[in-house]
Amino acid sequence: MCSCNAGEQTSEHLIYECDLLRNQRTILKTQILAVGGKWPTTNSDLVEKHLNVFLRFIKNIDFNALDTK
């Protein structure tokens, strides 16, 4: 269970749903849309078309805050 208590802590949940990552996701979404991308995007597009912004998203995650209870 994710620390946000809204679902299982999967990569899909963290990227697209987790309330604890709302601010980071907003930045990711804004940057993807700014270059003509779609949101929600696919995982393959995250890696193939938006890797730099996705890496910034990942680097801005405080993984200690996401430790499961």
Side-chain angles (χ1 to χ4, degrees):
M1 183 61 125
C2 185
S3 295
C4 73
N5 294 315
E8 187 179 343
Q9 192 181 70
T10 64
S11 57
E12 295 284 322
H13 172 76
L14 294 174
I15 295 167
Y16 299 105
E17 301 168 4
C18 183
D19 284 340
L20 299 174
L21 299 177
R22 184 179 316 143
N23 294 336
Q24 293 92 332
R25 183 179 314 103
T26 298
I27 293 168
L28 174 66
K29 177 181 174 181
T30 300
Q31 291 174 334
I32 288 173
L33 293 174
V35 296
K38 298 177 184 176
W39 190 264
T41 189
T42 64
N43 289 349
S44 63
D45 277 356
L46 278 175
V47 175
E48 294 172 15
K49 297 179 181 179
H50 310 292
L51 183 59
N52 289 332
V53 294
F54 184 53
L55 289 174
R56 280 187 289 236
F57 169 79
I58 293 168
K59 289 178 183 178
N60 285 314
I61 295 173
D62 177 3
F63 287 97
N64 292 323
L66 297 177
D67 282 342
T68 56
K69 297 176 182 176

